[in-house]
Amino acid sequence: MKSFITGLIIILSALPAVAETSDDFPTSNRELLELLDTEIARRDDYIGRRNAKVDSVKALIALDSLAVGHYFALGDLMGGLNADSAISVFSRGYDVATAIGDSVSAQRFKILRVTEMGKFGSAPDAIRDIGQIGRHGIYPENNALYFEVCRDLYYMLAEVFEHTGLHDNYMTPGLGFAYKLQTQLPSESYEARFNQSLISYARGNDAMFLATLHDIASDVPTSHDRYSMYMTSLGGRYLIIGRNDDAIRYLALAAIDDLRDGDRQGTALIRLGSALHGEGDIARAHNYLSVSLEEALAGGAKTNCLMISEALMPVAQKLHDSQRHTFFMLVGLIVSLLAGVMLLFRLYQVKKNRTRELEATRQQLADANLTKEAYISEFMNLSSSYMESLEDFNRVSKRKITAGQTDDLLEMIKSGKIMEDQRKKFDDIFDDAFLGIYPTFIDDVNRLLLPDKQIVTSAPNVLTTELRVLAFSRLGIDDSAQVARFLGVTLNTIYTYRNKLRNKAIARETFDADVMKIGAID
């Protein structure tokens, strides 16, 4: 006994500080689940701490292989890590106890092994072994443990077959063992109160079952080694009767305790996944059940695997449906975004084109202003030239009349040379000014005429009389008599030119209107 206590002190002193065991948990389920998420992320650390304890106990066994207490400690640690390994440890403990003649401990090892066999999924073998132990007689020191293991085994099987005709076949003997266990427990202990709640449950008194569990949950400390079991039972019952908020809280508390203890075989996280599924928190439910499955497989808890598979199927289906719905929503969003981008791009192109058009129009207006200024300048030049010519004519006339050379003056006027020079000067200035305003006028007119009726000019910047007639029309001067005076031709000639041009046109009916469109700003 002394060596066992010494070993235990060595183990505890060698281990790092365990996670906080304060009862001060968050009051809201949301915060509690967030804490649970954090603890799940740390589960490898907690498993590592439990494995460190295992290694320490194994080191003690290596020093004293006949110390029965070490095997109890190792089996208890392995029970939360791997059921198959725990069975092996308890079997070795049984052999050691038998070898040293400790029949009480040997029987205790066999009873404890039954618990792990139930977790491992070997229920028929567990029932067989528990029956054999009972038939050979139970040592008084092992009565409470034996009755508890039997109760838990049959209650577990009753839960597995809850909706079948086999339920009562397991619940009835389970209730019998619960009655026997009650006689072995201190009346005010947590174990006695919990066992009484299970008796109420088996007898169908659900109200008393819940009331007793609530009474336990209200004052049991998190440091109690069965804290998780009490909270799992209370939360599990709330889950069955549809009180999901209460179920989530107590199951989350139990799951946190399991994680911090490095226990891979608890069922709280599994039941919590089912509760969250009922609340519509599919992503978290799927995560919890997936973690539970990983831990159950690593811990060899085949019974838990069956429970997980039953809970996981509808959750996985809903998650698949949700992901599929999200996928289609994402596709729709992408299509909408692409359509929006295309629309924006189109609007950008339209705006860009419009800006380019406005810029072109602005440039045309600027050019038109420059042309207007040039045209005014040409007009001023023409007016100045006429004034200068008139002044010259006046001087010549005055000189001729003073000198009595009226016949020379009359002859000069009759020759028409003065008018011819002035008209030539007018034509040159008019052509320059007009083509400055409408530089493509000749080509634009030819595009309105038939291919074989094109007008050919003597020089690029010189208009023919026909083109000058059209030029006056483009400037809005429609008075044929006025045009005739400007060009120095008869009125009939103007009519003739206009008719000839219409006859040459591709679209005779719209020819005049088409000419007016030349050089127009849209």
Side-chain angles (χ1 to χ4, degrees):
M1 182 67 179
K2 182 178 179 181
S3 63
F4 173 71
I5 295 175
T6 302
L8 186 59
I9 292 173
I10 294 172
I11 295 170
L12 294 176
S13 62
L15 292 176
V18 180
E20 61 271 26
T21 57
S22 171
D23 296 351
D24 190 18
F25 285 104
T27 55
S28 72
N29 282 357
R30 180 183 61 80
E31 294 175 322
L32 191 60
L33 292 175
E34 289 174 355
L35 174 60
L36 175 57
D37 292 339
T38 301
E39 296 300 88
I40 287 175
R42 299 174 57 189
R43 72 183 192 275
D44 288 342
D45 294 336
Y46 293 128
I47 294 296
R49 293 176 184 180
R50 188 160 186 144
N51 278 320
K53 293 181 182 181
V54 169
D55 292 340
S56 298
V57 176
K58 286 182 177 179
L60 294 175
I61 291 176
L63 295 175
D64 185 2
S65 62
L66 297 180
V68 173
H70 295 339
Y71 292 99
F72 282 122
L74 182 60
D76 182 58
L77 289 169
M78 292 303 301
L81 291 173
N82 186 277
D84 190 37
S85 297
I87 292 171
S88 177
V89 170
F90 287 135
S91 295
R92 285 163 53 200
Y94 171 80
D95 292 339
V96 170
T98 301
I100 64 175
D102 186 351
S103 56
V104 174
S105 293
Q107 187 181 68
R108 193 173 189 84
F109 279 121
K110 290 184 70 175
I111 296 170
L112 290 171
R113 188 172 62 182
V114 168
T115 299
E116 302 304 322
M117 292 170 68
K119 296 178 186 176
F120 194 64
S122 302
D125 294 336
I127 292 175
R128 181 201 63 209
D129 285 3
I130 207 71
Q132 289 179 352
I133 295 170
R135 284 193 295 273
H136 286 86
I138 308 300
Y139 290 104
E141 298 92 327
N142 294 334
N143 274 337
L145 176 64
Y146 177 77
F147 296 145
E148 181 182 8
V149 169
C150 290
R151 178 204 67 190
D152 292 344
L153 177 62
Y154 282 104
Y155 269 55
M156 179 194 72
L157 292 172
E159 183 178 6
V160 171
F161 296 101
E162 185 171 7
H163 302 294
T164 71
L166 297 175
H167 174 267
D168 291 343
N169 293 349
Y170 295 109
M171 184 56 77
T172 300
L175 177 60
F177 285 115
Y179 278 129
K180 293 178 181 179
L181 176 59
Q182 195 68 15
T183 64
Q184 304 292 314
L185 300 173
S187 60
E188 295 303 318
S189 65
Y190 288 114
E191 289 80 1
R193 291 156 66 187
F194 178 69
N195 187 63
Q196 185 59 54
S197 73
L198 294 182
I199 291 173
S200 299
Y201 167 70
R203 294 175 62 180
N205 191 344
D206 208 47
M208 183 60 69
F209 172 55
L210 284 173
T212 306
L213 286 178
H214 254 298
D215 182 52
I216 296 171
S218 65
D219 59 6
V220 64
T222 58
S223 58
H224 195 284
D225 60 357
R226 300 195 178 191
Y227 176 85
S228 173
M229 181 172 67
Y230 300 153
M231 297 301 168
T232 300
S233 298
L234 181 56
R237 194 58 193 169
Y238 274 133
L239 175 62
I240 291 173
I241 64 177
R243 290 176 56 175
N244 279 2
D245 283 344
D246 292 322
I248 288 171
R249 176 158 190 83
Y250 290 109
L251 290 172
L253 292 172
I256 290 171
D257 188 68
D258 286 338
L259 288 165
R260 291 175 175 175
D261 197 37
D263 188 350
R264 286 178 154 163
Q265 297 179 348
T267 62
L269 199 60
I270 305 171
R271 299 170 194 268
L272 180 56
S274 296
L276 291 172
H277 171 222
E279 289 297 294
D281 192 348
I282 305 302
R284 188 174 255 141
H286 187 269
N287 180 50
Y288 288 175
L289 290 171
S290 297
V291 171
S292 297
L293 183 59
E294 291 177 17
E295 295 301 298
L297 292 172
K302 295 181 180 178
T303 304
N304 285 3
C305 289
L306 293 175
M307 184 185 301
I308 293 167
S309 64
E310 183 178 351
L312 190 58
M313 287 178 63
V315 173
Q317 183 60 46
K318 276 196 176 181
L319 183 64
H320 173 74
D321 293 342
S322 176
Q323 290 174 338
R324 188 166 178 268
H325 178 68
T326 302
F327 171 76
F328 284 120
M329 286 185 63
L330 183 60
V331 170
L333 179 60
I334 291 173
V335 171
S336 298
L337 287 174
L338 288 175
V341 169
M342 292 176 66
L343 178 60
L344 289 175
F345 180 74
R346 178 59 183 162
L347 290 175
Y348 168 76
Q349 289 292 98
V350 170
K351 183 177 180 181
K352 185 177 180 181
N353 293 337
R354 183 59 180 162
T355 302
R356 190 181 293 116
E357 290 172 0
L358 290 174
E359 180 61 24
T361 302
R362 187 194 67 78
Q363 188 60 45
Q364 285 179 319
L365 290 173
D367 293 343
N369 285 332
L370 291 175
T371 303
K372 179 186 70 175
E373 293 171 1
Y375 184 72
I376 292 172
S377 176
E378 292 292 344
F379 175 76
M380 295 299 291
N381 289 336
L382 181 62
S383 298
S384 175
S385 175
Y386 274 128
M387 290 174 67
E388 183 181 345
S389 297
L390 183 59
E391 288 175 356
D392 289 343
F393 180 74
N394 285 337
R395 280 197 301 271
V396 170
S397 296
K398 183 179 180 180
R399 189 175 62 248
K400 292 285 187 183
I401 293 172
T402 302
Q405 298 174 342
T406 55
D407 292 337
D408 292 342
L409 179 61
L410 181 61
E411 184 64 29
M412 186 174 62
I413 293 172
K414 285 182 177 181
S415 69
K417 187 174 184 309
I418 295 175
M419 289 300 297
E420 183 179 346
D421 290 343
Q422 294 307 312
R423 186 166 286 109
K424 177 68 170 60
K425 186 179 293 186
F426 171 82
D427 290 344
D428 291 344
I429 294 175
F430 177 81
D431 290 353
D432 287 341
F434 184 80
L435 291 174
I437 300 173
Y438 303 104
T440 62
F441 182 76
I442 298 172
D443 292 334
D444 292 338
V445 170
N446 279 327
R447 274 193 287 271
L448 300 175
L449 303 179
L450 295 167
D452 59 341
K453 304 295 183 181
Q454 303 287 295
I455 298 174
V456 179
T457 61
S458 59
N461 294 322
V462 176
L463 298 175
T464 64
T465 304
E466 285 179 308
L467 289 172
R468 290 190 189 103
V469 171
L470 290 179
F472 278 106
S473 295
R474 179 64 187 86
L475 293 173
I477 302 174
D478 296 327
D479 188 339
S480 299
Q482 187 179 14
V483 174
R485 285 194 299 272
F486 275 126
L487 296 180
V489 296
T490 65
L491 182 60
N492 188 56
T493 300
I494 299 299
Y495 290 142
T496 300
Y497 278 141
R498 284 179 175 169
N499 285 330
K500 284 175 63 178
L501 287 168
R502 288 192 191 96
N503 291 331
K504 292 179 180 181
I506 296 173
R508 189 177 186 280
E509 294 77 7
T510 61
F511 179 71
D512 292 334
D514 293 338
V515 169
M516 293 302 294
K517 294 177 182 177
I518 292 175
I521 299 174
D522 295 332

